């Protein structure tokens, strides 16, 4: 373990202010975790709200502003290392060059598949797509993988292609953090150097955890997250036809009007809109079950961890990282992706067997305590930093 207190530069690019992401939450959680243990944290952030026109998207490989800002910041603060979360799209890979030119070792957390795939999901036309794993990522342009637009996909796919062809990431980044073994496997298949990978999951702060309390549980299920096709919203709605258990839906996104329409037709689907973090924690704590019906390769949804910390089991698609995080018949259940009939069947079984759900809930909280607490995560993070600093010397 690193004994001395470190000064850590943490770099993060926010998406649009109207579209907050789990990456933002992880960035803030890790900053606070490091500060709690006495380390100095210096942050460099930008936002995609800065990108006001399409021309800016055609300058995704190098940002003079980022490069200059970071060199100035590093010269002033002299951090021991830099930890990156997101560089897309305002920060750009120029941030790596600034750190390398200033001799600062780099750790990059991979929150999605953005360094392989234009939309970061390995999903095309709502189908799993691995065409770019071993081929040129410029294929994303031809398939309009980013927001179904050839124009918007072109600069992103081209930038990813340039990074991979020139081994830009491989030479500049000292360590990659993957959140699951599944994610690591896909990046290695894409040609990333295996020796630079570490596994470290996300974590949930203690203030979101709840003591196990059977009395607080109520007979409803909950979905919370982005209301978009890849999250399996249509599957969820179809599964809930003719079910007599309330389903609370929390969140916003492109399918919000669809959910509003369906909730008006099915009184057991209750759309609650967006809620605060504490409001969500309370609703999840009281639920019997959280549903995660994604049709894409989920990496490590905080939804599951927040449920575990709240003693709430999860029913999830058997896909991507979800298959590692949700332990079938232990912390909840898994069902085949897009199989709404199997999801409905599993929900009915769970609600008709409350003793099973109670055991799942106890197991979920135990998994949180043994694997996903801030204390466990801090230890893993320090071991990664120590390895990087040792190699850098």
């Amino acid at each position: 373990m690193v004994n001395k207190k470190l000064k850590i530069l943490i770099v993060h690019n926010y998406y649009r202010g109207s579209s907050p992401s789990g990456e933002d939450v992880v960035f803030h959680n890790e900053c606070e975790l490091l500060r709690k243990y006495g380390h100095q944290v210096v942050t460099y952030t930008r936002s995609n709200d800065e990108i006001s026109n399409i021309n800016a998207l055609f300058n995704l490989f190098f940002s003079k502003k980022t490069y200059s800002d970071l060199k100035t910041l590093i010269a002033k603060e002299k951090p021991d290392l830099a930890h990156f979360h997101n560089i897309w799209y305002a920060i750009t890979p120029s941030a790596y060059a600034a750190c390398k030119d200033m001799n600062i070792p780099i750790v990059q957390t991979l929150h999605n598949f953005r360094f392989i795939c234009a939309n970061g999901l390995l999903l095309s036309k709502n189908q799993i797509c691995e065409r770019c794993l071993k081929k040129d990522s410029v294929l994303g342009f031809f398939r309009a993988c980013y927001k179904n637009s050839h124009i918007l996909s072109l600069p992103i796919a081209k930038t990813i292609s340039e990074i991979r062809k020139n081994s830009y990431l491989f030479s500049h980044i000292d360590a990659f953090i993957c959140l699951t073994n599944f994610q690591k496997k896909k990046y290695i298949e894409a040609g990333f150097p295996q020796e630079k990978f570490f596994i470290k999951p996300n974590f949930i702060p203690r203030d979101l955890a709840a003591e196990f309390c059977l009395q607080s549980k109520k007979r409803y299920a909950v979905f919370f997250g982005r209301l978009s096709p890849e999250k399996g919203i249509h599957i969820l709605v179809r599964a809930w036809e003719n079910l007599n258990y309330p389903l609370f839906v929390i969140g916003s996104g492109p399918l919000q009007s669809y959910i509003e329409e369906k909730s008006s037709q099915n009184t057991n689907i209750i759309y609650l809109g967006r809620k605060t973090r504490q409001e969500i924690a309370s609703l999840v704590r009281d639920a019997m079950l959280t549903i995660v019906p994604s049709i894409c390769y989920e990496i490590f949804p905080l939804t599951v961890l927040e449920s575990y910390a709240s003693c709430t089991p999860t029913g999830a698609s058997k896909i991507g990282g979800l298959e590692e995080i949700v332990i079938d018949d232990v912390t909840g259940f898994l069902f085949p992706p897009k199989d709404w009939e199997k999801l409905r069947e599993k929900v009915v079984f769970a609600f008709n067997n409350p003793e099973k759900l109670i055991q799942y809930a106890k197991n979920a909280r135990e998994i949180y305590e043994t694997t996903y607490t801030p204390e466990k995560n801090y230890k893993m993070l320090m071991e990664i930093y120590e390895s990087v600093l040792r190699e850098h010397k």
Side-chain angles (χ1 to χ4, degrees), residues 167-203:
S167 297
Y168 193 87
L169 255 63
F170 305 159
S171 60
H172 281 61
I173 295 177
D174 297 276
F176 295 97
I177 295 178
C178 279
L179 308 180
T180 62
N181 283 296
F182 174 85
Q183 183 191 24
K184 174 184 174 181
K185 176 185 174 184
K186 292 302 176 187
Y187 267 101
I188 291 172
E189 285 179 24
F192 282 59
Q194 183 170 352
E195 67 277 5
K196 289 191 175 185
F197 278 88
F198 295 84
I199 302 291
K200 185 190 77 65
N202 291 325
F203 72 94

Side-chain angles (χ1 to χ4, degrees), residues 264-327:
S264 69
Q265 298 169 357
N266 184 344
T267 57
N268 284 311
I269 298 177
I270 302 103
Y271 176 56
L272 301 178
R274 291 179 67 170
K275 294 291 181 181
T276 66
R277 190 179 75 155
Q278 293 302 328
E279 287 172 330
I280 293 172
S282 178
L283 287 162
V284 174
R285 182 186 64 241
D286 293 347
M288 296 293 286
L289 187 65
T290 295
I291 309 293
V292 185
S294 301
I295 64 171
C296 66
Y297 284 154
E298 288 281 10
I299 304 298
F300 206 104
L302 292 176
T303 300
V304 178
L305 295 195
E306 290 177 26
S307 299
Y308 284 8
S310 299
C311 312
T312 301
T314 299
S317 303
K318 189 176 182 180
I319 190 170
L322 286 170
E323 194 172 352
E324 290 180 45
I325 307 165
V326 178
I327 308 173

Side-chain angles (χ1 to χ4, degrees), residues 9-17 19 21 23-24 27-28 42-52 56-57 59-70 73 84-95 98:
L9 169 63
I10 302 189
V11 181
H12 181 58
N13 196 125
Y14 292 100
Y15 295 110
R16 297 283 181 182
S19 303
S21 74
E23 296 172 40
D24 300 341
F27 162 68
H28 286 290
V42 178
T43 61
Y44 178 75
T45 62
R46 292 185 66 182
S47 168
N48 288 341
D49 289 332
E50 300 174 32
I51 300 175
S52 58
L57 280 176
N59 193 24
L60 296 182
F61 192 80
F62 197 91
S63 164
K64 291 181 179 179
K65 173 176 170 54
T66 292
Y67 183 79
S68 175
D69 285 353
L70 271 179
L73 184 62
F84 284 69
H85 284 276
N86 182 35
I87 64 163
W88 305 92
Y89 300 97
I91 287 180
T92 78
S94 58

